[in-house]
């Protein structure tokens, strides 16, 4: 895949992607890997939380969609992990018009549908905060 990365490099980083849509999950992981990071992908918050706990939160970035199967939605997932790992940069994405006032102010909101450049910009912004 060829796209403009605006000089962004994620070499040595590990990114968690939580997205229930398989096409978007694959696209995001491909982009993240192209930028140099390892990527762990999940389609539900329960599995992502287990991985975070097992890895002691050792991720460089978390990206979570809101509309997920199960009882934990993306906004709740991010609130939970930001309480335990407040320095973990986060991107919240959704195609729904949601009230994001409850999110940590450092969280980047990325409205769907997004373009590749918007995702790359959001990653850069989240990591620079």
């Amino acid at each position: 895949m060829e796209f403009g990365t605006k000089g962004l490099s994620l070499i040595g980083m590990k990114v968690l992607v939580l997205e229930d849509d398989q096409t978007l999950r694959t696209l995001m992981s491909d982009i993240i890997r192209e930028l140099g990071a390892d990527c762990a992908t999940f389609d539900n918050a329960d599995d992502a939380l287990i991985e975070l706990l097992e890895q002691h939160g050792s991720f460089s970035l978390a990206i979570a969609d809101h509309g997920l199967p199960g009882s934990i939605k993306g906004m709740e997932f991010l609130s939970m992990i930001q309480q335990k790992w407040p320095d973990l940069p986060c991107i919240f994405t959704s195609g729904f018009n949601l009230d994001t006032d409850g999110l940590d102010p450092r969280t980047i909101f990325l409205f769907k549908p997004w373009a590749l450049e918007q995702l790359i910009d959001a990653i850069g912004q989240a990591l620079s905060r």
Side-chain angles (χ1 to χ4, degrees):
M1 182 183 314
E2 293 291 324
F3 53 88
T5 62
K6 301 181 181 187
L8 182 64
S9 173
L10 304 182
I11 293 172
M13 295 185 183
K14 188 173 177 184
V15 179
L16 182 142
V17 172
L18 178 54
E19 168 64 59
D20 65 319
D21 181 282
Q22 182 175 353
T23 302
L24 283 177
R25 191 171 59 247
T26 300
L27 176 64
M28 283 192 278
S29 70
D30 287 348
I31 292 166
I32 290 163
R33 286 185 177 106
E34 178 107 2
L35 291 169
D38 288 330
C39 188
T41 61
F42 302 91
D43 64 358
N44 67 78
D46 293 330
D47 291 343
L49 282 171
I50 290 168
E51 179 70 12
L52 272 165
L53 290 168
E54 287 176 352
Q55 299 296 319
H56 306 287
S58 65
F59 283 84
S60 307
L61 174 67
I63 303 173
D65 178 38
H66 181 66
L68 301 168
S71 60
I72 302 172
K73 301 302 178 202
M75 192 178 301
E76 183 182 10
F77 170 79
L78 289 179
S79 293
M80 292 167 69
I81 67 170
Q82 288 170 327
Q83 287 177 12
K84 183 146 180 80
W85 300 286
D87 295 329
L88 177 61
C90 296
I91 297 173
F92 178 62
T93 183
S94 180
F96 298 106
N97 190 10
L98 299 170
D99 178 10
T100 58
D101 289 342
L103 285 175
D104 184 294
R106 297 170 294 174
T107 299
I108 304 293
F109 178 65
L110 185 60
F111 190 78
K112 288 180 180 179
W114 41 260
L116 293 177
E117 294 80 19
Q118 291 172 307
L119 176 62
I120 292 167
D121 285 345
I123 291 170
Q125 288 175 28
L127 292 173
S128 68
R129 291 186 172 188

